């Protein structure tokens, strides 16, 4: 019953943060197109990408991801708060092969989110720490990070109030990428969907009576086809 | 080897900066035309001979009999004043004073007059050209034949030459580094390297030191800005001092070393007067400098260096920035794109860029019918009138929640969605404008637009196929608009064909919305959705638009107006500084590097050759023909400021004729690689020019729509 065709899936904002060249854009592109381009160029400013996605584990749950892929380069930092301000999830990325530098930047972003991110204390931004470029990692063990690095990632977890989950991914060979997004959907409360659909249905009912919905959607985009609603 | 005698005026240059001629003979024997003897003895190597009184026709013969390289066989000009200090004199164009205000109004008179005049000029040269031509086997023209670049290492083919002398090479190979024809360096005034077109860091470090030392020495000991130096007659070094940055260009390319004789009405006229010989390279350096301003803004650069003189600017530059700078270097110099090993040229963006720069920062617009353009203009205008509604409160949560809650119904709450929208563009390909909207009191310079578009195409690169739904938000400083602050650019690329059921070709449209407020991404996104909806709403309009755009990307005017002899042309409208040209494929039936470099060379020479005013000659021709009782002062045919240049390259079995005609409103350049007589050349040219005038509204965007 939650998959009413009339009602678009709830949108869900995600922001990718992290140092330059850790693979944020590649992660997003792997998720969106399932492709990898070795020559991906640096992001200028930011890119806003949307995709409707159904969890592989819970096929009744669909979200419209609204993903902010931000530039890692230092000179764009002043803009970044705008991107994570209303985000539900922050994917804070680092390069497992360039741990020291990129993890330091990851830490910086986690601190920034804690300082400025929470617009509402009851709804903190969920932080997911993503170690990318797993394929390049020379340790053959499944536990890729060195023990010390793992401990530091864990410490980081304890220092913060936001929930932190740790993922390992490779945008190049695709491992772990969809799992990140699946787990975002899977971890959501049932209430989230219930609340959303109840609200939308109520709006729709009201709209049929009072023409309110068409008022909201229609009058500005007068007579415009809404076939491409995104 | 024949060479022109050095032009005396160059040595005696008086300008407000130091011009250091280490040794001088002639800058370019190809480039500098001279007054020459029309009764030239054939069959032996010849030097240009000065003719005291050239009369109405001045021609130069610069020939090398034993050499299969193409030469400028003749440059014909029309000038009545005997001006023996002709080459490089940098003075005013020679002309007659106009005697009275009577004008000719008939275009066929113009045509005849021009034809007579040109054939007069060429006749004596042509027979000579033909004799020589017959003795040589026909084969395809190579840019190597043109002697554009010194081929001292005897590269056997184009590719070898490209790899040796042109291609960007960043390694430690010092001999290879010195074989490159063009170098660009950006360094801090403290001598720290920031960017180099060729060579590794280790390799260039020493040269950076030398450059800073020279510049400092001039500054401190001579209280002068060091601007340019000529090393021998083949190499020029130009420095642009934008403290805390220094930009350096070193060129050995013939068409970059000839003195520019444009009659441009460009804004930097003062620069032109003082550095007319260096202006080409200085403009190139300015383009690189403005790229840095665009991504960083002036205060950021100054602040960084103010804190520490030995600041390393590379820290804030990304690999993409370096790639963009390299691409700029190649585009500015050769009109070539950055090519990977074995890659061939896939689009003409870099050539378009080069021609745009050559035409004094001119830009191209997309050819569509005026109706279509007006419809799109209206869509852009209407998005400025969109009200901000209640359901947009989410967009403005941070700043306007209060006003929306408390004043929902009052007028104050009726904010406009596009309040912060400054400029909007619709682009059909990365560098061609379909529509432009601007506020009443502001506008963007062509330089800023070009910067904006090249940033957009660099940013769009990831999503080439438009395969997924992506909106870009790019902070950018547009230095001519405001070097101290950033604007925020919303970019959305859509595939028009994806909205059409039956569509054979992919046609893309890019929506560009420039906002003054960094927090207005979602407002701009809303506007873009409105624009898209409006465009795709009616299938008929969408189909028309898609068809028109598909047709215009490959401009085949030459087929449309049946001028088979003309292979390539550029028509520039001076008023708005916009130009059109046909697809380069028509010139040699390909878009190869060879063709591209030839066009770059021909147009550089044609553009930089000193043109001569012909208004009085036209007038006198008319007077001879019609007598003086034909008076029509009302219907004015504008012969004011009409100029022409004619250049012919011949050799290796090929002939290329270049022709330029301009007046106050337009500049026209064309090339033919067939036998063409002056009559046909003039009538074909005028046919194209009239066609361009007739379809002016389709071909040119004009000043854009104003809100």
């Amino acid at each position: 019953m939650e998959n009413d065709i009339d009602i678009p899936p709830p949108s869900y904002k995600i922001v990718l943060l992290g140092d330059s060249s850790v693979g944020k854009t590649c992660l997003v592109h792997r998720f969106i197109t399932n492709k990898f381009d070795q020559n991906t160029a640096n992001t200028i400013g930011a890119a806003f990408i949307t995709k409707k996605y159904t969890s592989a584990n819970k096929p009744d749950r669909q979200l419209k991801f609204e993903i902010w892929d931000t530039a890692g380069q230092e000179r764009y930092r002043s803009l970044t708060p705008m991107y994570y301000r209303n985000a539900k999830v922050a994917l804070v990325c680092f390069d497992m092969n360039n741990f020291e530098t990129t993890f330091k930047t990851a830490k910086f972003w986690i601190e920034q989110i804690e300082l400025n991110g929470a617009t509402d204390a009851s709804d903190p931004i969920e932080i997911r720490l993503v170690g990318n470029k797993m394929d390049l990692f020379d340790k053959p063990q499944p536990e890729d990070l060195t023990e010390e690095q793992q401990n530091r990632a864990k410490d980081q977890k304890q220092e913060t109030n936001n929930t932190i989950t740790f993922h390992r991914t490779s945008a190049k060979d695709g491992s772990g990428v969809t799992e990140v997004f699946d787990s975002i959907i899977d971890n959501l409360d049932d209430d989230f969907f219930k609340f959303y659909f109840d609200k939308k249905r109520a709006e729709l009912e009201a709209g049929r009576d009072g023409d309110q919905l068409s008022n909201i959607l229609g009058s500005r985009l007068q007579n415009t086809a809404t076939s491409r609603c995104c | 080897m024949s060479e022109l005698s050095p032009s005396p005026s160059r040595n005696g240059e008086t300008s407000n900066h130091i011009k250091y001629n280490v040794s001088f003979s002639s800058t370019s024997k190809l480039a500098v035309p001279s007054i020459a003897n029309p009764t030239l003895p054939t069959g032996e190597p010849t030097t240009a001979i000065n003719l005291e009184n050239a009369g109405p026709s001045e021609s130069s013969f610069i020939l090398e009999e034993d050499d299969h390289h193409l030469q400028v066989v003749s440059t014909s000009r029309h000038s009545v004043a005997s001006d023996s200090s002709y080459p490089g004199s940098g003075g005013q164009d020679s002309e007659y004073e106009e005697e009275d205000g009577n004008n000719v109004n008939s275009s066929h008179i113009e045509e005849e007059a021009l034809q007579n005049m040109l054939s007069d000029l060429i006749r004596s040269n042509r027979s000579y050209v033909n004799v020589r031509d017959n003795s040589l086997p026909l084969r395809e023209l190579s840019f190597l034949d043109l002697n554009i670049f010194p081929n001292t290492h005897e590269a056997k083919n184009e590719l070898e030459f490209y790899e040796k002398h042109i291609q960007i090479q960043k390694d430690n190979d010092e001999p290879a580094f010195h074989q490159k024809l063009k170098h660009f360096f950006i360094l801090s005034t403290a001598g720290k390297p920031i960017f180099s077109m060729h060579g590794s860091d280790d390799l260039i470090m020493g040269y950076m030191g030398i450059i800073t030392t020279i510049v400092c020495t001039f500054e401190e000991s001579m209280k002068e800005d060091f601007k340019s130096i000529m090393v021998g007659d083949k190499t020029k070094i130009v420095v642009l001092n934008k403290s805390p940055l220094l930009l350096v260009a070193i060129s050995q390319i013939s068409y970059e070393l000839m003195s520019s004789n444009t009659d441009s009405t460009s804004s930097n006229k003062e620069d032109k007067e003082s550095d007319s010989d260096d202006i080409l390279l200085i403009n190139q350096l300015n383009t690189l400098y403005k790229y840095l301003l665009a991504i960083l803004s002036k205060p950021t650069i100054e602040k960084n260096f103010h804190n520490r003189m030995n600041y390393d600017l590379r820290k804030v530059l990304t690999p993409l920035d370096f790639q963009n700078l390299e691409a700029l270097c190649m585009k500015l110099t050769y009109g070539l794109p950055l090519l990977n090993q074995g890659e061939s040229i896939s689009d003409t963006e870099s050539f378009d860029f080069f021609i745009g720069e050559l035409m004094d920062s001119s830009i191209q617009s997309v050819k569509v019918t005026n109706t279509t353009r007006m419809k799109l203009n209206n869509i852009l205008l209407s998005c400025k009138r969109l009200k901000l509604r209640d359901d947009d409160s989410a967009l403005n949560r941070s700043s306007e929640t209060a006003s929306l809650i408390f004043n929902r119904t009052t007028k104050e709450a009726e904010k406009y969605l596009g309040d912060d929208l400054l400029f909007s563009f619709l682009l059909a390909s990365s560098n061609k404008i379909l529509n432009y909207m601007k506020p009443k009191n502001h506008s963007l310079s062509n330089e800023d637009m070009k910067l904006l578009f090249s940033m957009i195409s660099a940013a769009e690169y990831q999503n080439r196929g438009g395969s997924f739904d992506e909106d870009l938000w790019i902070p950018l400083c547009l230095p001519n608009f405001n070097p101290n602050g950033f604007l925020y650019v919303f970019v959305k690329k859509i595939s028009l064909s994806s909205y059409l059921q039956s569509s054979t070709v992919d046609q893309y449209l890019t929506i560009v919305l420039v906002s003054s407020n960094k927090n207005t991404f979602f407002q701009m996104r809303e506007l873009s959705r409105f624009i898209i909806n409006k465009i795709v709403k009616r299938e008929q309009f969408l189909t028309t638009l898609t068809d028109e755009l598909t047709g215009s990307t490959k401009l085949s005017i030459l087929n449309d107006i049946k001028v088979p002899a003309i292979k390539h042309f550029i028509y520039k409208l001076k008023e708005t500084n916009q130009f059109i040209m046909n697809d380069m494929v028509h010139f040699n039936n390909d878009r190869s590097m060879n063709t591209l470099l030839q066009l770059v060379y021909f147009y550089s020479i044609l553009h930089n050759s000193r043109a001569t005013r012909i208004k009085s000659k036209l007038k006198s021709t008319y007077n001879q023909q019609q007598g003086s009782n034909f008076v029509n002062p009302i219907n004015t045919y504008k012969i004011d400021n009409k100029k022409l240049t004619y250049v012919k390259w011949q050799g290796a079995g090929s002939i290329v004729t270049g022709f330029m005609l301009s007046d106050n409103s337009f500049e026209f350049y064309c090339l033919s690689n067939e036998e063409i007589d002056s009559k046909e050349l003039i009538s074909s040219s005028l046919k194209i020019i009239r066609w361009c005038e007739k379809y002016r509204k389709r071909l040119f965007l004009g000043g854009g729509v104003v809100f």
Side-chain angles (χ1 to χ4, degrees):
Chain A
M1 66 173 273
E2 282 172 358
N3 296 329
D4 292 37
I5 321 152
D6 303 357
I7 301 173
S11 53
Y12 208 74
K13 277 211 173 68
I14 293 179
V15 61
L16 279 94
L17 302 169
D19 209 346
S20 183
S21 305
V22 297
K24 296 181 292 300
T25 303
C26 287
L27 270 177
V28 177
H29 286 197
R30 170 59 79 182
F31 173 60
I32 303 281
T33 62
N34 201 21
K35 282 179 192 147
F36 175 78
D37 182 356
Q38 188 78 53
N39 300 316
T40 300
N42 301 82
T43 307
I44 309 171
F48 185 76
I49 299 149
T50 56
K51 184 184 170 91
K52 284 180 190 164
Y53 184 71
T54 310
S55 161
N57 310 318
K58 299 192 176 179
D60 58 331
R61 286 185 167 190
Q62 195 188 34
L63 284 182
K64 190 176 95 179
F65 282 121
E66 300 184 335
I67 303 168
W68 269 121
D69 173 24
T70 65
Q73 223 293 324
E74 221 178 300
R75 66 173 192 252
Y76 297 111
R77 275 192 190 172
S78 64
L79 269 174
T80 318
M82 174 198 142
Y83 308 127
Y84 63 69
R85 200 176 287 137
N86 297 314
K88 300 279 189 206
V89 178
L91 301 179
V92 181
C93 308
F94 64 94
D95 177 353
M96 295 208 284
N97 301 283
N98 183 11
F99 185 83
E100 289 303 323
T101 327
T102 60
F103 191 74
K104 203 174 135 200
T105 315
K107 233 170 129 173
F108 166 83
W109 284 120
I110 293 173
E111 284 159 14
Q112 287 295 306
I113 292 170
E114 307 229 303
L115 280 171
N116 315 314
T119 44
D120 181 357
S122 66
D123 187 18
I125 298 173
E126 184 190 343
I127 296 172
R128 286 169 184 262
L129 196 56
V130 179
N132 193 29
K133 306 197 189 178
M134 192 165 76
D135 54 284
L136 291 177
F137 209 70
D138 41 15
K139 293 259 158 48
Q141 298 300 312
E143 292 296 300
D144 298 298
L145 295 183
T146 63
E147 210 165 299
E148 189 219 338
Q149 288 175 349
Q150 277 192 56
N151 287 337
R152 283 172 59 186
K154 275 179 194 150
D155 286 350
Q156 192 60 42
K157 220 166 163 175
Q158 281 153 14
E159 279 170 27
T160 61
N161 302 317
N162 298 51
T163 35
I164 293 190
T165 326
F166 180 55
H167 296 272
R168 276 187 300 272
T169 59
S170 162
K172 190 175 181 183
D173 61 29
S175 48
V177 178
T178 50
E179 284 83 344
V180 176
F181 292 88
D182 283 340
S183 115
I184 289 172
I185 301 187
D186 298 348
N187 279 12
L188 279 172
D189 226 25
D190 275 330
D191 284 351
F192 173 83
F193 289 95
K194 192 172 182 307
F195 181 73
Y196 172 80
F197 282 107
D198 286 350
K199 193 179 149 215
K200 282 288 165 190
R201 261 191 295 274
E203 276 174 16
L204 214 61
E205 296 287 315
R208 276 185 200 120
D209 300 336
D211 227 26
Q212 218 174 323
L213 187 70
S214 65
N215 201 24
I216 291 168
L217 290 172
S219 65
R220 192 175 65 218
L221 306 175
Q222 267 174 22
N223 305 322
T224 49
T226 44
S227 59
R228 193 173 161 88
C229 188
C230 43
Chain B
M1 282 271 167
S2 62
E3 286 204 334
L4 287 180
S5 51
S7 47
S9 59
R10 296 192 55 148
N11 285 329
E13 189 106 34
T14 50
S15 45
N16 58 359
H17 66 269
I18 303 295
K19 181 147 294 183
Y20 213 85
N21 282 340
V22 173
S23 91
F24 185 89
S25 67
S26 83
T27 341
S28 159
K29 64 187 170 205
L30 293 183
V32 186
S34 165
I35 302 160
N37 193 344
T39 58
L40 185 79
T42 50
E44 54 181 275
T46 320
T47 9
I49 300 162
N50 278 341
L51 182 71
E52 274 311 303
N53 190 349
S57 163
E58 301 170 358
S59 339
S60 65
F61 292 76
I62 311 149
L63 289 169
E64 289 176 71
E65 277 297 294
D66 314 318
D67 195 332
H68 284 198
H69 285 145
L70 269 198
Q71 296 294 316
V72 176
V73 178
S74 64
T75 39
S76 303
R77 290 152 196 295
H78 228 95
S79 169
V80 181
S82 31
D83 179 5
S84 51
S85 65
Y86 179 52
S89 67
Q92 289 300 304
D93 298 328
S94 44
E95 60 178 295
Y96 270 153
E97 287 298 311
E98 204 167 348
E99 286 147 40
D100 54 28
N102 298 342
N103 285 317
V104 187
N105 78 328
S106 160
S107 59
H108 81 265
I109 293 175
E110 175 203 17
E111 189 169 332
E112 264 177 40
L114 283 167
Q115 277 168 6
N116 290 339
M117 193 171 64
L118 192 63
S119 56
D120 253 9
L121 297 177
I122 303 167
R123 194 167 296 128
S124 56
N125 309 344
R126 285 191 58 80
S127 59
Y128 179 67
V129 168
N130 285 334
V131 167
R132 186 166 179 260
D133 198 28
N134 293 339
S135 64
L136 286 163
L138 257 148
R139 66 176 177 88
E140 206 173 298
L141 186 64
S142 157
F143 73 82
L144 294 174
D145 298 330
L146 293 165
N147 219 3
I148 310 172
F149 315 111
N151 189 1
T152 43
H153 292 79
E154 296 296 331
K156 280 168 225 60
N157 58 44
E158 287 97 351
L159 187 67
E160 188 189 332
F161 186 88
Y162 168 77
E163 284 172 352
K164 229 180 220 168
H165 300 292
I166 295 177
Q167 191 176 42
I168 286 181
Q169 207 175 329
K170 292 279 195 182
D171 53 25
N172 239 333
D173 186 345
E174 186 144 10
F177 178 78
H178 288 293
Q179 281 179 19
K180 301 296 175 187
L181 294 167
K182 185 70 177 282
H183 288 279
F184 282 107
F185 303 104
I186 305 176
L187 59 153
S188 72
T189 34
K192 232 185 175 79
I194 295 165
F195 167 79
S196 163
M197 186 181 180
H198 302 287
S200 67
D201 258 16
D202 290 347
L203 207 155
I204 61 160
M205 199 61 91
Y207 298 106
M208 298 300 99
I210 295 171
I211 291 167
T212 357
T213 310
I214 296 174
V215 172
C216 285
T217 310
F218 272 84
E219 228 166 54
E220 282 161 20
S221 329
M222 300 161 89
K223 306 279 174 250
E224 293 268 14
D225 255 4
F226 175 85
K227 291 204 173 154
S228 78
I229 187 167
M230 204 62 202
V231 184
D233 59 347
K234 296 276 193 304
T235 309
K236 181 183 262 185
I237 306 174
V238 172
V239 176
L240 180 67
N241 190 342
K242 293 279 182 186
S243 180
L245 300 179
L246 280 180
L247 298 98
V248 183
I250 303 175
S251 176
Q252 298 183 51
I253 298 166
S254 66
Y255 61 79
E256 292 193 329
L257 299 185
M258 67 189 289
S259 52
S260 171
N261 278 306
T262 63
D263 63 332
S264 81
T265 48
S266 158
S267 53
N268 35 12
K269 207 164 185 173
E270 270 175 40
D271 285 345
K272 284 225 153 120
E273 276 161 18
S274 55
D275 309 307
S276 65
D277 287 354
D278 305 331
I279 193 67
L280 184 88
L281 293 170
I282 285 178
N283 281 343
Q284 293 179 354
L285 292 175
N286 260 315
T287 306
L288 296 183
Y289 175 62
K290 280 180 179 162
Y291 176 83
L292 290 177
L293 286 184
I295 56 169
L296 298 169
S297 85
K298 206 165 180 222
T300 311
I301 295 175
E302 279 167 1
K303 195 181 74 206
N304 285 335
F305 281 101
H306 181 78
N307 296 342
R308 257 181 331 128
M309 268 307 281
N310 65 346
Y311 177 77
D312 187 356
L313 195 69
R314 286 180 297 190
K315 278 203 304 202
V316 291
L317 300 177
T318 64
L320 177 64
D321 295 322
F322 290 109
Q323 193 188 320
N324 287 344
L325 286 169
E326 284 170 15
L328 275 175
C329 292
M330 289 300 280
K331 282 196 279 194
L332 286 165
T333 310
Y334 307 105
L336 288 170
L338 286 181
L339 295 170
N340 295 324
Q341 196 68 41
E343 201 183 354
S344 57
I345 297 168
S346 57
D347 65 64
T348 56
E349 192 264 333
S350 55
F351 178 65
D352 293 344
F353 183 93
F354 179 90
I355 295 295
E357 287 293 303
L358 184 67
M359 301 286 139
D360 296 304
S361 253
S362 193
I363 49 170
Q364 282 187 97
S365 38
V366 182
K367 176 194 163 211
V368 284
T369 55
N370 196 34
T371 325
T372 304
R373 184 136 28 221
M374 292 304 279
K375 276 182 186 161
L376 291 169
N377 275 345
N378 286 333
I379 293 174
L380 288 184
L381 278 174
S382 63
C383 77
K384 224 13 212 181
R385 292 192 293 267
L386 291 179
K387 298 252 167 50
L388 192 69
R389 295 189 59 89
D390 295 354
D391 57 322
D392 292 324
S393 58
L395 306 179
N396 276 24
R397 194 175 282 162
S398 53
S399 56
E400 303 189 45
T401 317
S403 72
L404 283 162
I405 290 171
F406 296 116
N407 295 320
R408 279 189 178 209
T409 50
T410 69
K411 224 178 172 183
E412 271 173 88
E414 284 193 349
K415 296 242 176 187
Y416 291 94
L417 200 56
D419 266 347
D420 293 308
L421 178 66
L422 273 176
F423 305 101
S424 1
F425 296 92
L426 296 179
L427 307 177
S429 56
S430 61
N431 53 359
K432 287 184 186 147
I433 311 177
L434 182 58
N435 289 81
Y436 167 47
M437 179 173 80
K438 67 182 210 66
K440 221 178 294 166
N441 45 347
H442 294 293
S443 51
L444 281 183
S445 65
N446 281 356
E447 285 97 337
D448 280 350
M449 284 190 201
K450 290 182 98 173
L451 257 177
L452 174 66
F453 301 153
S454 60
M455 287 309 282
I456 290 170
S457 73
E460 264 183 347
Y461 180 78
Q462 293 310 322
N463 194 4
R464 271 157 297 177
S467 55
F468 52 90
D469 191 13
E470 183 183 54
D471 307 304
L472 304 175
W473 191 238
I474 303 169
L476 197 65
C477 166
L478 294 171
N480 290 3
F481 180 73
N482 175 11
N484 299 316
F486 280 96
L487 294 173
Y488 300 86
V489 186
F490 174 94
V491 183
K492 169 103 184 155
K493 186 178 188 177
I494 59 163
S495 158
L496 289 178
S497 20
S498 72
Y499 293 94
L500 284 169
Q501 279 164 2
S502 57
S503 170
T504 45
V505 276
D506 272 348
Q507 187 58 56
Y508 296 99
L509 190 70
T510 303
I511 298 166
V512 181
L513 304 172
V514 183
S515 166
S516 53
N517 180 344
K518 69 174 174 183
N519 292 317
T520 52
F521 171 82
F522 288 101
Q523 282 91 326
M524 296 306 130
R525 185 164 183 265
E526 204 58 29
L527 292 177
S528 77
R529 289 171 63 181
F530 172 82
I531 294 167
I532 295 166
N533 271 319
K534 282 274 193 188
I535 291 173
V536 303
K537 172 174 73 173
R538 289 210 321 280
E539 188 160 342
Q540 199 197 343
F541 176 64
L542 184 61
T543 314
T544 315
L545 178 64
T546 313
D547 290 349
E548 282 188 35
L549 292 183
T550 313
S552 74
T553 41
K554 304 271 177 287
L555 197 58
S556 60
I557 294 176
L558 297 181
N559 298 333
D560 296 348
I561 51 180
K562 312 244 174 342
V563 278
I566 306 260
K567 299 298 182 195
H568 198 271
F569 79 94
I570 303 170
Y571 178 89
K572 173 180 152 179
L573 201 60
K574 283 187 174 173
E575 185 192 347
T576 50
N577 200 4
Q578 291 164 1
F579 74 101
I580 56 158
M581 60 181 175
N582 62 313
D583 195 329
M584 68 184 264
V585 77
H586 298 127
F587 187 67
N588 263 354
N589 293 319
D590 65 24
R591 291 193 190 87
S592 64
M593 184 196 312
N594 185 19
T595 304
L596 198 154
L597 285 173
Q598 287 177 35
L599 289 173
V600 160
Y601 170 73
F602 291 139
Y603 281 122
S604 296
I605 300 292
L606 204 51
H607 181 265
N608 294 340
S609 294
R610 187 164 159 280
T612 305
R613 290 186 192 186
I614 53 168
K615 61 172 185 183
S616 17
K617 181 63 196 172
L618 249 186
K619 190 175 163 55
S620 60
T621 311
Y622 148 71
N623 281 337
Q624 282 158 19
Q625 286 172 350
Q626 301 287 324
S628 54
N629 44 4
F630 184 90
V631 178
N632 193 345
I634 303 155
N635 192 353
T636 48
Y637 160 59
K638 286 217 162 103
I639 49 170
D640 284 344
N641 252 334
K642 197 151 264 192
K643 299 177 182 185
L644 74 78
T645 309
Y646 169 85
V647 187
K648 189 161 190 157
W649 296 269
Q650 183 263 321
S654 304
I655 294 180
V656 174
T657 308
F659 177 66
M660 189 281 291
L661 185 67
S662 77
D663 69 8
N664 282 342
S665 66
F666 74 87
E667 282 170 27
F668 172 79
Y669 302 81
C670 70
L671 294 173
S672 169
N673 52 10
E674 290 178 2
E675 279 289 334
I676 184 167
D677 61 31
S678 61
K679 201 175 165 198
E680 194 180 358
L681 183 61
I682 295 287
S683 68
S684 300
S685 298
L686 291 179
K687 221 167 162 180
I688 301 175
I689 291 168
R690 283 185 205 118
W691 191 90
C692 292
E693 277 164 0
K694 187 179 169 196
Y695 292 108
R696 182 175 163 151
K697 279 193 169 169
R698 279 184 198 203
L699 298 171
F700 297 101
L701 170 75
V705 52
V706 177
F707 64 81

